[in-house]
Amino acid sequence: MTAKICFFHTVAGLSERFDELAAEYVPEADHFHIVDESVLDEQIEVGELTPSITNRICTQLSLAERAGADVVLDTCSSTSPAVDVARRLVDVPIVKIDDPLTERAVELGDDIHVLATAASTVEPSTELIARKAEQSDLERSIESTLIDDALEARKRGDIERHDELVTEAALEAAERADVLVLAQASMSHLEPELTERAPVPVLSSPHLAMERLAETVAEL
């Protein structure tokens, strides 16, 4: 039986990117997308992941199962805590996009610097790194930089300015960190360039998450 994957996005523009990644990592599987940008918009507006927003995310992930998904990949870092709730409600595996990323980060260095363009991502990402470090019995220093001007540029469609701002912040952070974490999939296209220019490892989530997804599909 062919496995069916659902990608849950809060940024519509990521659908095409994950079509490409699915063809690379899980070509034997079928896949579909569920997109709900409103949950991220509301989370940014109110400044926290409220019970109401968590309920809506859980509903979307439950609908993915009802639509026939054998496994779900939640591609939004900001919704990470809601996935922990959804995993108790949904019977199919849910891969959290940041799990492999944060596990790799705590392995690579003592001083980890998280870069994000959405305020809603900073706390979930840093808390997840801290949790992974604790689970591995490791002490890690975690700093973060919020590049909210880059998010505004992206919303205007000015990707060039977005990239300039993220690159500038990343290279500055690299001077005082052992590893850089690009906390959102929307930043991941900068990983190759930053890897060449930064003196420390640069991590982003999509490829690491797709490796985990492929492992999960193989286990079905």
Side-chain angles (χ1 to χ4, degrees), residues 84-121:
D84 296 328
V85 178
R87 283 172 170 165
R88 300 197 295 268
L89 304 173
V90 177
D91 291 331
V92 299
I94 305 174
V95 177
K96 186 187 298 186
I97 192 167
D98 284 343
D99 269 342
L101 169 71
T102 51
E103 290 164 9
R104 183 71 59 85
V106 300
E107 293 173 355
L108 290 179
D110 294 331
D111 297 309
I112 301 168
H113 201 106
V114 176
L115 297 120
T117 63
S120 58
T121 299

Side-chain angles (χ1 to χ4, degrees), residues 149-171:
D149 288 348
L151 179 62
E152 293 305 315
R154 188 177 187 89
K155 287 180 177 178
R156 296 194 305 270
D158 190 349
I159 303 301
E160 182 177 353
R161 181 58 178 160
H162 167 278
D163 292 355
E164 288 175 355
L165 290 168
V166 173
T167 298
E168 179 182 341
L171 295 177

